[in-house]
Amino acid sequence: MKAFTYDRVTSAEEALAAGAGASFVAGGTNLLDHMKLQIVTPDRLVDLNRAGMDAIEPTAEGGLRIGALVRNSDLAADSRIIADYAVLARAILAGASGQIRNRATTAGNLMQRTRCPYFYDTALACNKREPGSGCSAQDGHSRTLAVIGTSELCLCQNPGDMAVALRVLDAVVEVASPAGATRTIPIAEFHQLPGDSLPVREFALEKGELITAVVLPPPAGGTHYYRKVRDRSSYAFALVSVAAVIQPDGIGRIALGGVAPRPWASDDADAAIPQGAKAVAAALFEGARPQEDNAFKIDLATRTIAAVLAEAKEARA
Amino acid sequence: MKFDAPMGDTPIDTGRVVGRPHARVDGPLKTTGRATYAAEWHDGLPGLLHGFIIPATIAKGTVTAIDTADAKGAAGVVDVLTFEDFDINGTANGKTVKLVGGPQVQHYHQALGLVIAETFEAARAAADLVNVDYEAEAGAFSLDGVRADAKVCGAFGGPGETRLGDFEAAFEAAEVQFDEEYRTAAHSPAMIEPFASIAQWEGDGLTLWTANQMIATTVGSMASMLQIDESRVHVLSPYIGGGFGAKLWAHADAILAALAARKTGHPVKVVMPRGLIFNNTINRPETIQRLRIGTRADGTIEAFGHEGWSGNVEGGNPESTVLSSRSVYAGPNRLMADHMGHLDLPEGNAMRAPGDAVGSIAVEIAMDELAEKLGLDPIDFRVMNDSQVDPSQPKKTFSNRHLVRCLQDGAERFGWSERQAPGTRREGKWLVGMGVATAYRAALRSTSGAAVRLETNGRVTVETDMTDIGTGSYTILAQTAGEMLGVPVDRVDVRLGDSAFPKSSGSGGQWGASSSTSGLYVACVNLRREIAQRLSLDAERAEFDDGEVRSGNRVCSLLDAVAEGPLSAEGSIDFGQSDTHAFGTFGAHFVEVGVDSYTGEVRVRRMLAVCSAGRILNPVSARSQVIGAMTMGVGAALSEKLVVDERYGCFINHDLALYEVPVHADIPHQDVVFLDDVDPYGNPMKAHGVGELGLCGVGGAIANAVYNATGHRLRKVPMVVEDIIAGLPDPV
Ligand SMILES: Cc1cc2nc3c(=O)[nH]c(=O)nc-3n(C[C@H](O)[C@H](O)[C@H](O)COP(=O)(O)OP(=O)(O)OC[C@H]3O[C@@H](n4cnc5c(N)ncnc54)[C@H](O)[C@@H]3O)c2cc1C
Ligand code: SF4
């Protein structure tokens, strides 16, 4: 681990002021791992843990504003979340472990980085870790990686669960810049696709920007599902996950995790829900570019959507 | 004592202490963090330095330059040592590749040197500054690629090919023929405690605190690699956080700590980072296995053929897949052969139940398939082909073989009669199935010694270089001494894992429990004689119980014997080869799984193991061994797989996020039943170990349960969702 300086801040403003050229650390459950493995070697850490931003508050519109530092465990246990945004609680609880969720924060979770094996071996080429070095996953071990939204530069999937639920809920991410400006980014645009030019950008944040909150619109009603498929029953990232909110009349929203660099959803796919899983999957995977190792994810996702829709149908019957 | 005749009655048979369910005597130390593991010996080691291994990042080739200047200049760095600074003689006993490579690189992540710094963090940061240039060579990394050139080869000195009768003719003539191939993936031991060592020199004497299963072997390894006399090496390994075979040998941490400590004059600690364990140390190699079994129409096996292929480094051992096939099922015509091809992957070596863990998966799936083909219940088919003689050495009778009872007793307990036709039992979205498999593992025995002392306060001290790798050695040794000397377990202090103590069998091959307690039994017999003599009692007739020694109508306190000072004795056990008996441990595994009909996820619902292994020394620790082994079997069946990246010649999933061992949520209700038996032919304790037995067959039982659930046969493990859904009907 490279030596670094470390500052604690007690407000968002202080964080932004201290932030230029520094890395924010929240729960540290992702960043510290990367520092130990020398995947990232920041010179400066700004610790947000005393900077507030840890409340869940109602918004004027009837939604909820979740502070960036709200811990994953607290968020999943919040009675308003459980009652009105159950898909979010379920998605969070499907991830990591109790200990990690106690530490992990809302913003940190959104910003978690890929679990691509080549990203983790610093001896091997990876455009995400070292722009321009190449992408070892092309023709490599890509079983866990993305099947759509990829490019020649990067194949990796977004590994998170929480963001998939936020996608079906149409959450927006609230960010503040060092210059004092604030803006919101719809969750659908928060995670970037690799595209054709370097560096491979992962997030829509600009340098020095701080996530202050995630805002949920008023409750969408319906029945909420989060179905995560993985190689073991717990403590594993999704091969495929399905977040869904299905209304009593059978229409609804669906987003997939584990298949793309961002939570994967589309209006066309949502419109196809009444026609069943195959139609939804066809809309979602149009233009998919799977590798030999991970082509099964399309079939698996289709089947998992079918499982969710069957459960929803049963619940309505 | 040379053990060459069946054991008569002994004090152990009274079963007052041995055979009782004692909680681990070292449990409180471990649960309160006071058991000192290898990396934790900080007290009394002023000036301790930290080493970080410099790993090779190619699989095969030559180091052309190694530039350590930047690393040497980094903050906190004391020195950077590379292979150019070392003169290491050979490698560790039992290992094939060198612990430190260079200039020739033999495998990915082979150690090339060590950065030594004042803190672990400084050493790790500086290791990143070492620049190594290589001339890489093409290597062989695919088992399929080398299979055609693989040669018949035996493992660990055993035969490569064995035959009996005329296999080919009998198979050809058989009324029912079965011929299939199976694949098992490479595994990493993935034990919790990483390899770790602290080395300190005093003059020309080395003290090494390390995590190791075989103390005496490691003394020999260190002495020969360092070219010093064995008497100058003191190895300590009292607590070990799991080994699964991988700690049978010294690894790079041990030799590099020793060399760095010698060079710097400071004690040096080296802990292998998790990310290096997968490629730096050893693995259980991938296998391909072919089963050819010919039977009569009624299911009687006439020809049994099992061949295995695996790859390893030049000079290494093949994975001995066919080992247990020599002894499990009957059949007068037999062919068993292991083949090895040369691969440039990290070294394959003995991991828990080497050979049998994966060999049994293929055999037990084959038996299930063949039973179905014959229209027989898989248990009936196994029972009718049981053999009380060793099928490969028909002159030898098994000393204690109760496989049939294990199968039948288990069937009854598990509700086997509820099993339905493949693919027909459904509970909501779940497809439910049951599977069974035989468990067999040889009961190996090994020379083992111990010292035992009756202290003046009446406590008993046991000393042996035996190790406890989480298995319960401390407890069963305390029980043995307690039984023999008539004191409760809490009056026995057991000291292990120190090369200053008498040499033991060490831990491996499930021989440790029976061998080490047998050695201690002999020491206790000798001490009883001393005590009786001191008390002027007849040692043969004396009964030791409740702190007293009784003979005829005389009753003495043990304390009377030590009024003038402690009494001590040593003892050791040796085993000859038996011409008349074969020794094995047997069991039956039963598994019920649910398979999600949409996603193909397999979730184990119930597991039962019925085991027969002679006397069970401590049912609590034995059960722990078996349920741990069953858990490892779940990993092999459903998730554990080292993935080879053939471009880089490495296992690419080298962390615990991508190499997936089972978690708690994967492990449902597990039941373990031990048949109540003793094996007087085996050893003085009439007992055998179960730590590997519990693993053998588990993967087969799970695969058979998955087939029973889905009606779709898989011949490759791990069985991952993509394999499962390929055989499931479209749910949409
Ligand atoms: C063993 C393990 C298993 C896991 N399994 C899962 C799983 O199954 N599913 C899943 O979804 N996740 C899983 N995770 C990932 C886990 O969810 C993340 O590590 C966690 O959410 C990160 O949150 P944190 O607060 O600890 O982030 P940190 O590690 O503190 O930070 C992560 C990143 O976010 C940035 N950051 C943090 N806060 C802000 C802010 N306010 N503004 C701007 N940038 C910020 C940091 O600079 C850093 O780049 C797992 C993690 C581990 C270690
Ligand atoms: S897929 Fe992305 S993260 Fe993986 S090696 Fe390629 S660039 Fe790196």
Side-chain angles (χ1 to χ4, degrees):
Chain A
M1 190 187 273
K2 219 177 85 181
F4 55 88
T5 61
Y6 170 85
D7 291 306
R8 277 179 187 158
V9 292
T10 54
S11 67
E13 295 69 35
E14 262 185 56
L16 285 163
S23 279
F24 297 124
V25 61
T29 60
N30 200 222
L31 183 67
L32 296 191
D33 278 2
H34 293 160
M35 289 171 67
K36 291 179 201 167
L37 295 167
Q38 327 230 39
I39 290 167
V40 296
T41 51
D43 296 318
R44 289 185 57 210
L45 280 195
V46 172
D47 183 344
L48 302 176
N49 285 289
R50 288 167 183 76
M53 301 185 280
D54 54 359
I56 306 173
E57 301 153 324
T59 63
E61 293 73 32
L64 287 176
R65 184 173 181 278
I66 305 160
L69 270 288
V70 172
R71 307 285 162 182
N72 288 176
S73 292
D74 294 336
L75 183 56
D78 187 278
S79 59
R80 294 160 293 182
I81 298 290
I82 292 171
D84 295 332
Y85 306 94
V87 64
L88 180 56
R90 293 199 178 126
I92 291 170
L93 294 176
S97 68
Q99 295 91 328
I100 291 170
R101 295 193 299 265
N102 287 344
R103 233 10 244 165
T105 64
T106 307
N109 194 321
L110 277 182
M111 299 281 290
Q112 66 176 291
R113 303 190 69 191
T114 177
R115 295 279 161 175
C116 171
Y118 303 96
F119 177 78
Y120 273 86
D121 188 330
T122 51
L124 304 177
C126 168
N127 282 329
K128 270 222 161 132
R129 197 171 9 82
E130 215 177 310
S133 61
C135 170
S136 301
Q138 314 276 347
D139 306 316
H141 175 53
S142 55
R143 176 171 182 264
T144 54
L145 304 185
V147 294
I148 192 162
T150 58
S151 79
E152 294 298 319
L153 294 179
C154 180
L155 289 178
C156 77
Q157 90 289 28
N158 182 294
D161 292 300
M162 187 187 82
V164 189
L166 292 179
R167 180 70 176 82
V168 287
L169 295 172
D170 273 334
V172 295
V173 183
E174 209 181 84
V175 303
S177 74
T182 58
R183 61 177 183 128
T184 56
I185 308 169
I187 186 72
E189 289 156 30
F190 184 79
H191 298 95
Q192 304 286 290
L193 301 183
D196 301 323
S197 63
L198 288 165
V200 177
R201 248 184 111 189
E202 288 169 279
F203 310 104
L205 283 193
E206 300 297 335
K207 259 205 162 50
E209 276 187 326
L210 175 77
I211 299 176
T212 49
V214 170
V215 180
L216 298 176
T223 311
H224 292 211
Y225 300 90
Y226 191 74
R227 183 69 174 86
K228 178 174 178 182
V229 183
R230 41 188 156 175
D231 287 318
R232 58 185 172 195
S233 310
S234 172
Y235 213 35
F237 289 93
L239 288 168
V240 159
S241 70
V242 177
V245 175
I246 307 292
Q247 302 298 339
D249 58 0
I251 63 160
R253 306 286 311 273
I254 280 188
L256 300 184
V259 299
R262 59 164 58 139
W264 202 245
S266 76
D267 291 344
D268 287 352
D270 290 344
I273 290 174
Q275 281 107 66
K278 283 204 165 140
V280 175
L284 285 171
F285 288 114
E286 204 190 315
R289 211 175 61 97
Q291 309 289 303
E292 197 185 318
D293 267 5
N294 67 11
F296 75 93
K297 282 193 173 187
I298 294 177
D299 186 23
L300 182 62
T302 312
R303 299 180 74 103
T304 312
I305 296 167
V308 168
L309 293 183
E311 204 182 324
K313 197 164 165 190
E314 221 167 89
R316 288 200 306 276
Chain B
M1 173 182 173
K2 177 98 174 171
F3 185 81
D4 48 16
M7 201 69 204
D9 288 347
T10 78
I12 299 293
D13 295 320
T14 55
R16 280 181 288 240
V17 190
V18 169
R20 301 273 165 174
H22 271 283
R24 265 161 216 272
V25 297
D26 49 333
L29 278 183
K30 289 186 173 171
T31 49
T32 56
R34 286 176 295 146
T36 315
Y37 289 86
E40 300 175 335
W41 292 90
H42 293 160
D43 293 347
L45 292 176
L48 178 71
L49 299 176
H50 300 262
F52 199 86
I53 296 171
I54 304 164
T57 53
I58 61 165
K60 190 180 186 185
T62 315
V63 175
T64 51
I66 183 160
D67 175 3
T68 59
D70 289 353
K72 277 182 173 151
V77 171
V78 174
D79 205 350
V80 180
L81 301 175
T82 73
F83 60 89
E84 291 166 344
D85 301 307
F86 302 142
D87 171 23
I88 304 171
N89 174 39
T91 185
N93 296 330
K95 282 265 297 177
T96 303
V97 299
K98 293 181 168 180
L99 302 188
V100 181
Q104 222 60 44
V105 174
Q106 294 173 292
H107 62 89
Y108 198 80
H109 281 179
Q110 186 172 30
L112 298 176
L114 192 76
V115 177
I116 308 155
E118 282 155 11
T119 65
F120 169 75
E121 288 75 15
R124 182 169 57 185
D128 221 33
L129 303 175
V130 176
N131 267 317
V132 188
D133 293 332
Y134 303 95
E135 205 170 286
E137 285 167 46
F141 306 113
S142 148
L143 178 57
D144 289 300
V146 300
R147 181 179 178 181
D149 296 324
K151 304 252 178 332
V152 170
C153 182
F156 309 112
E161 180 178 298
T162 53
R163 286 177 171 272
L164 196 68
D166 184 343
F167 170 76
E168 280 81 2
F171 182 72
E172 206 51 48
E175 287 171 292
V176 179
Q177 293 173 344
F178 176 85
D179 183 355
E180 286 291 352
E181 267 193 16
Y182 301 87
R183 297 191 80 112
T184 67
H187 298 152
S188 176
M191 64 281 150
I192 292 288
E193 183 201 22
F195 302 92
S197 298
I198 297 176
Q200 183 183 34
W201 292 83
E202 271 169 85
D204 65 347
L206 169 69
T207 303
L208 185 73
W209 291 269
T210 189
N212 194 282
Q213 301 174 219
M214 303 288 286
I215 302 303
T217 311
T218 296
V219 168
S221 292
M222 295 305 292
S224 87
M225 286 188 290
L226 295 165
Q227 292 152 282
I228 58 175
D229 194 80
E230 287 193 9
S231 66
R232 309 311 304 145
V233 179
H234 186 188
V235 171
L236 296 115
S237 194
Y239 299 106
I240 300 159
F244 305 130
K247 292 175 183 165
L248 290 167
W249 319 279
H251 288 281
D253 55 300
I255 188 70
L256 286 170
L259 291 163
R262 183 149 80 180
K263 182 83 194 298
T264 59
H266 285 257
V268 174
K269 165 153 87 173
V270 181
V271 178
M272 194 174 298
R274 181 65 63 186
L276 288 193
I277 288 176
F278 299 81
N279 286 288
N280 177 282
T281 62
I282 63 103
N283 60 86
R284 186 203 303 286
E286 179 184 2
T287 74
I288 301 171
Q289 302 177 50
R290 181 182 188 191
L291 265 297
R292 279 181 291 170
I293 307 172
T295 71
R296 290 192 215 141
D298 70 358
T300 309
I301 296 176
E302 288 293 335
F304 198 105
H306 185 186
E307 294 155 280
W309 288 264
S310 57
N312 208 343
V313 295
E314 203 85 67
N317 288 296
E319 184 65 9
S320 49
T321 56
V322 305
L323 198 63
S324 61
S325 287
R326 298 199 167 98
S327 305
V328 177
Y329 296 115
N333 300 286
R334 311 178 75 80
L335 161 63
M336 275 92 206
D338 279 311
H339 305 75
M340 196 183 90
H342 170 158
L343 289 179
D344 297 300
L345 288 171
E347 178 171 345
N349 213 323
M351 185 178 141
R352 195 177 194 175
D356 291 350
V358 289
S360 64
I361 294 176
V363 171
E364 294 302 317
I365 301 176
M367 289 297 283
D368 200 65
E369 292 198 61
L370 185 47
E372 186 179 38
K373 192 168 173 178
L374 289 160
L376 291 171
D377 180 275
I379 292 181
D380 296 341
F381 179 46
R382 285 172 172 84
V383 168
M384 69 189 282
N385 287 293
D386 182 48
S387 171
Q388 283 300 316
V389 299
D390 185 338
S392 292
Q393 312 170 75
K395 290 202 181 87
K396 290 192 185 178
T397 305
F398 278 104
S399 64
N400 186 55
R401 175 164 172 147
H402 302 296
L403 172 59
V404 170
R405 260 177 71 201
C406 292
L407 287 162
Q408 291 176 340
D409 185 78
E412 180 76 31
R413 289 170 188 271
F414 200 68
W416 183 252
S417 57
E418 310 285 304
R419 178 173 167 269
Q420 296 177 15
T424 60
R425 184 171 155 203
R426 225 188 145 103
E427 291 177 14
K429 68 175 183 176
W430 294 98
L431 306 168
V432 181
M434 289 187 202
V436 68
T438 292
Y440 166 74
R441 178 77 178 148
L444 302 177
R445 306 168 306 169
S446 179
T447 302
S448 198
V452 60
R453 194 163 58 241
L454 181 61
E455 312 287 359
T456 51
N457 60 4
R459 293 187 71 82
V460 173
T461 306
V462 173
E463 292 174 338
T464 158
D465 83 358
M466 179 61 189
T467 48
D468 188 326
I469 55 178
T471 42
S473 311
Y474 277 104
T475 313
I476 56 172
L477 289 164
Q479 287 175 272
T480 303
E483 189 80 86
M484 290 298 289
L485 300 171
V487 300
V489 163
D490 62 14
R491 297 252 296 275
V492 183
D493 301 306
V494 181
R495 301 174 64 197
L496 300 182
D498 185 330
S499 61
F501 301 151
K503 282 186 195 173
S504 74
S505 61
S507 300
Q510 78 171 16
W511 62 61
S514 59
S515 304
S516 67
T517 52
S518 292
L520 176 59
Y521 164 85
V522 178
C524 288
V525 168
N526 294 341
L527 183 60
R528 282 166 65 109
R529 204 171 294 129
E530 298 279 323
I531 293 169
Q533 202 170 27
R534 187 65 65 89
L535 297 171
S536 306
L537 296 173
D538 174 1
E540 303 307 315
R541 304 240 300 275
E543 196 196 341
F544 288 63
D545 182 28
D546 209 13
E548 295 177 342
V549 191
R550 303 177 197 129
S551 180
N553 51 13
R554 278 194 59 203
V555 178
C556 302
S557 164
L558 271 181
L559 289 170
D560 298 341
V562 285
E564 286 151 36
L567 284 176
S568 57
E570 288 199 19
S572 176
I573 187 101
D574 264 317
F575 298 94
Q577 287 289 340
S578 173
D579 296 329
T580 50
H581 286 90
F583 305 102
T585 58
F586 296 85
H589 286 289
F590 293 82
V591 174
E592 183 178 285
V593 300
V595 179
D596 187 309
S597 59
Y598 288 97
T599 63
E601 289 160 296
V602 178
R603 297 294 179 247
V604 175
R605 300 177 143 203
R606 298 191 285 143
M607 303 181 86
L608 165 69
V610 181
C611 304
S612 164
R615 169 175 283 128
I616 297 302
L617 298 167
N618 178 342
V620 179
S621 55
R623 177 177 185 278
S624 289
Q625 283 294 289
V626 176
I627 63 174
M630 289 156 85
T631 303
M632 193 174 242
V634 171
L638 299 178
S639 61
E640 290 184 46
K641 175 182 182 169
L642 286 170
V643 178
V644 179
D645 189 316
E646 292 179 24
R647 301 164 306 166
Y648 306 118
C650 69
F651 299 124
I652 190 65
N653 52 337
H654 49 73
D655 63 34
L656 288 178
L658 292 161
Y659 181 83
E660 295 188 38
V661 299
V663 294
H664 281 281
D666 292 311
I667 303 306
H669 190 70
Q670 293 177 319
D671 264 327
V672 182
V673 173
F674 296 108
L675 296 190
D676 187 15
D677 57 47
V678 291
D679 183 4
Y681 294 89
N683 50 61
M685 302 298 288
K686 308 175 186 173
H688 297 298
V690 293
E692 298 188 331
L693 176 68
L695 174 55
C696 298
V698 179
I702 296 171
N704 296 338
V706 168
Y707 170 72
N708 183 241
T710 63
H712 175 62
R713 180 65 73 178
L714 293 174
R715 300 190 179 88
K716 183 179 84 177
V717 291
M719 299 173 285
V720 286
V721 286
E722 52 266 45
D723 303 328
I724 307 269
I725 57 175
L728 292 180
D730 200 340
V732 187

